[in-house]
Amino acid sequence: MKINTIIFDLGGVLIDWNPEYVYLDVFEGDREKMQWFFDHVCTSDWNENQDAGYPMQKATEERIALFPEHEELIRMFYGRWVEMLGGAIEDTVTILKRFIDHPDYKVVALTNWSHETFPIALDTFEFLHWFEGIIVSGEEKTRKPFKDIYEITLKRFDITAEQAIFIDDNLRNIEAAETLGINGIHFESPKQLIEQLKTYSITI
């Protein structure tokens, strides 16, 4: 079936976000200590829970109760969240703009993002206003890779799964989309994305 819809992930595809921008300095360049903190205290699973709508303040206090000796570091995670935004991935934004300007494609976004911090991104990145719509996990109280968030996306924007391509930097999220019939591209770089799009006869 001919592709008529492009679904973009945001973080890691269009927006560079990385807690290392704060913590590498805090840990004075000691990557081993920083990684231990990410693996045991402010873990990716913990952060993803907030992406699914859990209140950041409550999550922070609960984590401090578990690791009181790391209170200052834990408060930094959301207290200095803005500093973790590294800017737009400009070459991917260029690709996005080409799709936006093309009459043959519907272009939407599907992101794991807290509803509490997403307004900051909307104020920061003009290109977020180009999309026909954005599914924000925190607003939906679920997240990738759970099946229901993909179903919400398909239904809300009247998308036929087989006619859509989903672009995400997390292979887990791609594999989940593919179980619903959505075509997936595991994003690694803007150049690689262009090459992968060609396999769908898309030159953009």
Side-chain angles (χ1 to χ4, degrees):
M1 299 179 73
K2 184 178 179 181
I3 300 298
N4 61 18
T5 302
I6 309 296
I7 307 169
F8 278 89
D9 174 38
L10 297 180
V13 176
L14 286 159
I15 297 171
D16 177 20
W17 178 86
N18 195 328
E20 286 191 13
Y21 293 142
V22 168
Y23 285 99
L24 192 58
D25 181 57
V26 170
F27 283 102
E28 299 179 336
D30 191 327
R31 287 190 171 275
E32 187 174 342
K33 286 184 178 179
M34 179 184 69
Q35 195 56 53
W36 183 92
F37 179 76
F38 291 152
D39 288 343
H40 296 89
V41 184
C42 288
T43 67
S44 58
D45 285 346
W46 173 75
N47 181 51
E48 282 191 333
N49 198 41
Q50 283 67 266
D51 286 346
Y54 199 76
M56 292 192 304
Q57 182 62 36
K58 186 174 182 181
T60 298
E61 298 303 331
E62 289 173 350
R63 190 81 352 183
I64 290 168
L66 288 173
F67 302 98
E69 69 276 21
H70 297 298
E71 178 175 357
E72 184 179 358
L73 292 170
I74 293 167
R75 291 197 186 282
M76 282 181 192
F77 199 92
Y78 294 120
R80 296 179 62 182
W81 182 89
V82 172
E83 296 173 55
M84 300 176 190
L85 282 175
I89 301 173
E90 295 294 350
D91 287 348
T92 319
V93 175
T94 298
I95 296 169
L96 167 66
K97 185 64 164 64
R98 291 172 184 165
F99 276 118
I100 294 291
D101 291 341
H102 202 294
D104 291 347
Y105 299 104
K106 177 187 298 184
V107 187
V108 301
L110 168 57
T111 184
N112 278 0
W113 206 302
S114 167
H115 65 289
E116 295 180 69
T117 55
F118 194 67
I120 299 170
L122 283 174
D123 288 341
T124 304
F125 302 104
E126 175 61 30
F127 63 82
L128 293 181
H129 301 273
W130 298 351
F131 291 99
E132 181 168 322
I134 301 175
I135 298 295
V136 178
S137 61
E139 295 174 357
E140 306 299 333
K141 308 304 182 194
T142 184
R143 62 172 176 82
K144 297 174 288 184
F146 300 127
K147 180 180 178 182
D148 51 350
I149 200 163
Y150 300 97
E151 293 175 335
I152 288 168
T153 304
L154 295 175
K155 183 177 180 180
R156 187 164 302 168
F157 300 118
D158 192 25
I159 298 168
T160 300
E162 293 76 13
Q163 291 184 283
I165 294 176
F166 175 49
I167 303 162
D168 196 298
D169 65 317
N170 190 320
L171 183 58
R172 172 198 68 179
N173 297 339
I174 292 294
E175 291 172 344
E178 289 175 338
T179 64
L180 294 175
I182 303 168
N183 301 287
I185 293 179
H186 180 212
F187 179 87
E188 296 174 358
S189 71
K191 183 178 179 180
Q192 169 260 354
L193 173 57
I194 289 172
E195 292 304 310
Q196 289 291 304
L197 287 168
K198 289 177 183 177
T199 66
Y200 295 92
S201 300
I202 297 173
T203 53
I204 200 79

